[in-house]
């Protein structure tokens, strides 16, 4: 994440730009502001990320995806990610 913008890449090619807004210390929202690739995500779609836990270089997130067809949101199960060393 750089400042208030997050970039999404696929095979080194920029696919989307996201506006980032922190809601609390453990929750932030990203909203698609620009789409350059072929994706089902559209400009204006939003993902709310809840940080459930942090353990060293690993963190567990819960993500809720909101779009025109899913205004109530679609929750992804908790996923754990680790930073590469």
């Amino acid at each position: 994440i750089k400042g208030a913008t997050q970039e999404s890449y696929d095979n080194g090619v920029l696919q989307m730009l996201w506006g980032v807004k922190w809601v609390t210390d453990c929750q932030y929202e990203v909203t698609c502001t620009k789409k350059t690739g072929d994706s089902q995500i559209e400009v204006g779609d939003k993902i709310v990320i809840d940080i459930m836990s942090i353990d060293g270089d690993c963190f567990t997130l819960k993500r809720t995806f909101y779009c025109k067809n899913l205004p109530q949101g679609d929750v992804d199960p908790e996923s754990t990610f680790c930073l590469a060393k």
Side-chain angles (χ1 to χ4, degrees):
I1 297 174
K2 289 197 268 182
T5 302
Q6 179 174 319
E7 300 170 340
S8 294
Y9 290 86
D10 186 21
N11 292 323
V13 177
L14 180 65
Q15 298 294 310
M16 286 171 276
L17 292 177
W18 301 84
V20 179
K21 176 185 170 191
W22 281 92
V23 179
T24 69
D25 288 345
C26 296
Q27 183 185 72
Y28 65 99
E29 302 174 352
V30 292
T31 303
C32 183
T33 57
K34 184 176 182 181
K35 175 181 168 181
T36 60
D38 186 25
S39 170
Q40 293 180 335
I41 295 174
E42 297 294 335
V43 171
D45 290 353
K46 176 173 74 171
I47 303 170
V48 175
I49 296 100
D50 291 288
I51 302 168
M52 307 306 289
S53 65
I54 299 172
D55 183 15
D57 290 333
C58 299
F59 51 98
T60 302
L61 305 176
K62 179 182 81 174
R63 297 174 288 189
T64 307
F65 178 72
Y66 296 90
C67 66
K68 183 172 44 174
N69 296 331
L70 294 166
Q72 76 285 359
D74 182 33
V75 178
D76 278 344
E78 290 183 10
S79 301
T80 299
F81 301 90
C82 295
L83 301 174
K85 291 185 178 187

